[in-house]
Amino acid sequence: MNMRNNLRILFILAAVLILLPRAIAQQQGGQSQKGPQPQSQSKPGMGGMDMSKMGSMNHDAAANPDAARGANDSMSHEHMDMGAHMYMTDLRKANAEDEKRGEEIVAALRPSIVKYEDYKVALADGYQIFLPDIPQPQYHFTNYRYAFEAQFAFNPEHPTSLLYKKVGDGYRLLGAMYTAPKSFSENQLNERVPLSVARWHKHVNLCMPPKGTPAAQIDRKQFGFQGSIATAEACEAAGGRWVPQIFGWMVHVYPFEKDADKVWAH
């Protein structure tokens, strides 16, 4: 049994080592020749596989669209608050080494996304607008190749999402969002972006209304991101659908802010 498990692990690692560099290379090469594409269009890669289906973000959004919309709404504001359905890491004690690492991440991110001040360039490079037809204070343009890459490695120049504000018929670039796997411990998050610099967050303990419930009949005092139900037992008793976590870990960063306290959104 141990030999079989070891072989399975080796096979998975080999597949990742073979496929991930190819996905990254395809993302970095040849993108400039593409024009803006509709956000609903899939982005093929890795030997014809639909990259928009890769990683936990798109899987979660497809499996729980109402929960995904709620998660997006709850983090569409620049300042977020911890509650029954959002967990945020505590800030650790500040130290010079972490501050230096945080500055290095921002220094790598800023020049890598400045070209996306023209949102059409972001679309051409594979970013897709999440829920473009729903008015939001802040829109997430997500790159599913980078979301997949973030499941295995951290590249500060490859944020999973870009953050925009709607302005007239276009969008104004505000910042970016990094992601990490659901399974990560806080120490693993700290290795990516120091927990003394930023607060990672995740969306948890959601009770969604029974599937097929008309929007007008949903009791929003019980269900969803504003609902009071926050345990699996209470959700089952109410006939709801329990979602222990939607999406992985996330952290927002605003590299163009002048005030250092506003660069990492708490």
Side-chain angles (χ1 to χ4, degrees), residues 254-263:
Y254 300 89
F256 305 112
E257 287 286 351
K258 305 295 184 185
D259 186 342
D261 291 337
K262 295 181 179 180
V263 171

Side-chain angles (χ1 to χ4, degrees), residues 17-18 33 44 85 110 122 129 140 168 192 201 213 226 236:
L17 290 173
I18 292 170
Q33 298 177 1
H85 306 301
R110 190 185 296 116
I129 311 172
H140 290 67
R192 293 196 172 190
H201 70 273
T213 304
Q226 304 303 319
E236 182 179 2

